[in-house]
Amino acid sequence: MSESIERVLAKKGSDVLTVAPDDSVGEAVRRLADRNVGAVVVLDGGSVVGVMSERDVVRRLAVDHDVLGLPVRDVMTSPVTTCTSSSTTDELARTMTDGRFRHVPVVDDDQLVGIVSIGDVVKRRLDELEMQTEQLTGYVSGTY
């Protein structure tokens, strides 16, 4: 049984770290560290134009040691794959696996409403499996 992303956001919250495309990578990295998160959504005039993750910074650092002074637009992944709050965890798990990325902004009616990480998706799946195991155990033992 797959859970809706709306329910995931209701449980985890919808707070999203955002930056502008012209902000420096150094500032974005400081904010990532301060918030202990792995990605930041890049907004331009309220529209999602990219995502900058730790992975993006490391890949750019391999070829440009002055990465911290660059604007986020030079390092971010764009275009970015998004989902809606009506998407399901199963759909999102497949999208993330196929696209090989770990963070997906949630956008409803052109408005950023949250972000979901692969960790959020895996946690929900583990919760589902635990519940199914408890139900099956209860059924077999006759407690349900």
Side-chain angles (χ1 to χ4, degrees):
M1 181 177 111
S2 187
E3 189 173 38
S4 76
I5 297 306
E6 181 177 37
R7 288 181 52 105
V8 172
L9 291 178
K11 291 175 185 172
K12 84 169 253 185
S14 59
D15 187 34
V16 182
L17 179 59
T18 63
V19 296
D22 292 327
D23 290 348
S24 75
V25 171
E27 177 58 28
V29 167
R30 278 188 287 284
R31 295 179 68 197
L32 286 171
D34 289 347
R35 295 275 296 273
N36 196 30
V37 295
V40 58
V41 176
V42 185
L43 293 180
D44 190 6
S47 296
V48 175
V49 295
V51 170
M52 190 191 82
S53 69
E54 297 162 324
R55 181 184 290 180
D56 294 319
V57 174
V58 169
R59 285 185 176 155
R60 185 61 183 254
L61 184 60
V63 296
D64 185 351
H65 295 338
D66 295 327
V67 68
L68 296 179
L70 295 174
V72 168
R73 77 171 65 256
D74 290 353
V75 178
M76 70 184 189
T77 297
S78 182
V80 62
T81 298
T82 64
C83 69
T84 66
S85 60
S86 63
S87 300
T88 66
T89 53
D90 286 348
E91 292 167 345
L92 199 52
R94 174 60 51 204
T95 298
M96 292 172 132
T97 300
D98 291 348
R100 299 181 53 92
F101 45 81
R102 299 177 293 194
H103 301 89
V104 176
V106 183
V107 178
D108 287 335
D109 299 321
D110 296 323
Q111 295 294 312
L112 179 66
V113 297
I115 189 168
V116 178
S117 72
I118 192 67
D120 298 326
V121 173
V122 169
K123 181 182 182 336
R124 296 297 166 241
R125 185 63 183 134
L126 290 173
D127 290 347
E128 290 170 13
L129 291 172
E130 184 178 323
M131 184 178 67
Q132 289 172 359
T133 300
E134 288 174 5
Q135 289 174 343
L136 288 172
T137 301
Y139 177 75
V140 169
S141 67
T143 58
Y144 274 102

